[in-house]
Amino acid sequence: MDIVVRPKILVVGAGFAGVGCVRRLERRLGSDEADVALVTPVSYQLYLPLLPQVASGVLTPQSIAVSLRRSRKYRTRIIPGGAIGVDLKAKVCVVRKITGEIVNERYDHIVLAPGSVTRTFDIPGLTDNARGMKTLAEAAFLRDHVISQLDLADASQDEAERAARLQFVVVGGGYAGTETAACLRRLTQNAVKRYPRLDPKLIKWHLIDIAPKLMPELGDKLGRSAQEILRKRGIDISLGVSIAKAGPDEVTFTDGRVVPTHTLIWTAGVAASPLMATLGAETVRGRLAVSSEMSLPGHDGVFALGDAAAVPDEAKDTEGAVCPPTAQHAMRQGKHVADNVIASLRGQRMTPYVHNDLGLVVDLGGLDAVSKPLGFELRGLPAQVVARGYHWSALRTNVAKVRVATNWALNAVAGHDFVATGLLSRSSAKLRDFEHTNAYLTPEQIRERTETG
């Protein structure tokens, strides 16, 4: 009796790209055509662009974390763990499960969408003292931490310590850093009214970036508009400046200034997942070099997309242009790569990925925003309507949309609340605690595992 073994499609990563790919495969592949498995350390898809609103308490954490186990109709097997290496020759992905067990997952087709990690530099004290904004846990902790600084300042009798507790430094003038500074500044500005012993003038937010412009992708006019909004809120913006040294209670800028602070938030860009380095294939600034079909040249059945892949941007005439690591591209690449995987399975022709950028939105909290949909420059309330409308429509489930809309409405009516849960009070929760960049294997270690396994 012949036993038919279905091809196995292994998807790595449950971000916009990975989940988009899995859901498309489930809808368009017959149940007898292939088995689908998803490697992810968490069983939810995180809507990253709204993390600053979680950090400021406008949204609850669960409102932007869409469960992958909510529906019973999906047939994908979820493997709870993280991919730490891939052997392209043996067609094996090495996975460290959340239990700590390391297993070899064989595949016929693999879709690599592990996303990115916070980009750091060799700055003394950075990973030991900075906090990131890349995960749900980081955003939730940051909210607790900021509110706790107000409590500690209120309780302190030392004027120097009080001043240090009320200074906050955000590094990174991109979307994440700008929105984080804007949203958290509003939180502290409203919260300090409940602390009669604290002088509101002592609360100082610093936003610094080594680049000469804030969010240069927006263009000069919108970039200046964003800066004006932030400066009106009392945020000190320093461009052409970075961090020279980070300590537990002070930060030294590259221009020589020393700022006493217990809060350093690092959002200075992202880097491709270290998983890409384990493949031994060509990379472009750490991102896997793939074709416009998102396949890896010379390796059948290997696809990569999202933040971890240098996908050629066919919508631009510029030679060598690659798609930026944005949610907008990742969502569409996920669906497109699923179609190409199916075409590969069925012996059909794969198609190149082409997408014209729809524009940019930056939500600065309240009624403030700057947006550039389809090239039209918007400010204020119209920009805010576009920004929140885009985010709301991009949420994957109706449950998530209802939760987010309800949170926005409640915050608009009732304002911020200033409760620190205290759940993470005993954890240091610094940048190094969330970015497990030392968990990956070397190509030699991977070969040793696959050859002996």
Side-chain angles (χ1 to χ4, degrees):
M1 182 178 179
D2 294 333
I3 299 176
V4 178
V5 179
R6 291 188 295 269
K8 179 178 180 180
I9 303 171
L10 187 66
V11 180
V12 176
F16 292 111
V19 172
C21 174
V22 164
R23 295 305 184 230
R24 185 82 149 208
L25 289 172
E26 289 176 327
R27 286 193 297 270
R28 298 199 170 184
L29 266 182
S31 58
D32 59 341
E33 284 189 90
D35 292 325
V36 182
L38 175 65
V39 179
T40 172
V42 293
S43 57
Y44 60 81
Q45 179 193 1
L46 178 64
Y47 191 82
L48 273 168
L50 292 178
L51 271 184
Q53 296 191 36
V54 171
S56 63
V58 173
L59 299 177
T60 58
Q62 64 267 33
S63 64
I64 66 167
V66 182
S67 173
L68 300 178
R69 300 185 186 274
R70 186 174 182 86
S71 176
R72 295 180 181 180
K73 68 180 181 180
Y74 299 123
R75 64 178 190 272
T76 297
R77 178 172 74 97
I78 295 177
I79 303 172
I84 57 175
V86 178
D87 188 331
L88 297 175
K89 185 177 179 181
K91 288 199 169 187
V92 168
C93 179
V94 184
V95 177
R96 178 181 279 113
K97 292 186 175 181
I98 58 175
T99 59
E101 178 189 7
I102 298 178
V103 298
N104 292 347
E105 288 288 339
R106 300 193 177 276
Y107 63 82
D108 296 290
H109 291 75
I110 188 169
V111 178
L112 298 167
S116 57
V117 296
T118 300
R119 181 181 61 183
T120 58
F121 301 98
D122 190 19
I123 298 172
L126 177 63
T127 57
D128 291 326
N129 297 293
R131 293 169 172 85
M133 267 290 289
K134 198 77 174 64
T135 68
L136 194 61
E138 284 175 310
F141 174 84
L142 190 56
R143 171 178 162 72
D144 260 22
H145 171 80
V146 169
I147 294 173
S148 295
Q149 296 311 297
L150 299 181
D151 290 332
L152 290 166
D154 187 53
S156 177
Q157 301 300 320
D158 187 305
E159 290 188 10
E161 181 188 358
R162 181 179 294 181
R165 295 283 182 192
L166 297 178
Q167 289 212 74
F168 307 88
V169 178
V170 180
V171 183
Y175 306 112
T178 301
E179 290 186 341
T180 297
C183 291
L184 286 174
R185 169 60 184 171
R186 288 190 77 243
L187 173 66
T188 55
Q189 193 172 16
N190 290 321
V192 75
K193 299 173 184 176
R194 306 293 192 273
Y195 294 82
R197 292 183 67 249
L198 296 182
D199 182 356
K201 295 179 182 178
L202 288 178
I203 296 181
K204 297 179 181 178
W205 280 85
H206 303 266
L207 175 61
I208 70 173
D209 193 90
I210 196 65
K213 295 180 180 179
L214 200 67
M215 296 181 294
E217 300 88 344
L218 285 173
D220 290 340
K221 290 184 179 180
L222 286 184
R224 283 196 299 269
S225 295
Q227 286 191 50
E228 289 172 8
I229 292 169
L230 297 180
R231 286 195 168 118
K232 284 180 180 178
R233 290 188 188 175
I235 298 176
D236 178 59
I237 301 172
S238 299
L239 299 175
V241 177
S242 189
I243 295 294
K245 184 171 62 174
D249 52 14
E250 68 176 25
V251 172
T252 303
F253 293 177
T254 53
D255 62 4
R257 282 180 292 165
V258 178
V259 176
T261 180
H262 295 266
T263 308
L264 172 60
I265 305 169
W266 182 267
T267 64
V270 297
S273 167
L275 179 66
M276 298 298 98
T278 72
L279 275 69
E282 181 186 354
T283 58
V284 178
R285 296 183 180 179
R287 302 169 73 183
L288 195 65
V290 296
S291 68
S292 55
E293 291 82 12
M294 291 174 282
S295 62
L296 182 62
H299 297 276
D300 291 337
V302 180
F303 300 83
L305 65 161
D307 294 3
V311 180
D313 194 342
E314 297 290 344
K316 293 182 179 178
D317 296 330
T318 308
E319 185 178 352
V322 297
C323 297
T326 62
Q328 182 180 151
H329 278 286
M331 285 189 286
R332 288 160 178 81
Q333 288 174 3
K335 295 176 181 179
H336 196 93
V337 83
D339 291 339
N340 279 346
V341 170
I342 294 171
S344 177
L345 277 171
R346 296 173 179 172
Q348 299 170 350
R349 186 178 67 86
M350 296 188 293
T351 58
Y353 169 76
V354 182
H355 170 63
N356 290 304
D357 208 304
L358 298 178
L360 306 166
V361 295
V362 181
D363 187 338
L364 299 174
L367 300 179
D368 294 322
V370 289
S371 300
K372 197 174 183 180
L374 302 174
F376 295 99
E377 296 186 349
L378 302 174
R379 300 167 184 79
L381 184 58
Q384 182 65 285
V385 171
V386 170
R388 294 202 170 181
Y390 174 78
H391 290 317
W392 186 84
S393 64
L395 291 165
R396 193 171 53 82
T397 67
N398 290 329
V399 172
K401 290 179 179 180
V402 170
R403 282 177 175 163
V404 167
T406 302
N407 285 175
W408 279 337
L410 183 61
N411 181 260
V413 174
H416 289 82
D417 67 77
F418 318 111
V419 177
T421 63
L423 294 175
L424 302 175
S425 60
R426 295 186 180 275
S427 170
S428 62
K430 302 294 173 59
L431 190 60
R432 65 173 182 173
D433 299 312
F434 292 101
E435 303 285 350
H436 305 291
T437 53
N438 60 346
Y440 297 86
L441 302 180
T442 64
E444 292 76 18
Q445 290 172 319
I446 297 168
R447 282 195 297 272
E448 183 180 347
R449 277 196 58 84
T450 55
E451 288 171 1
T452 58

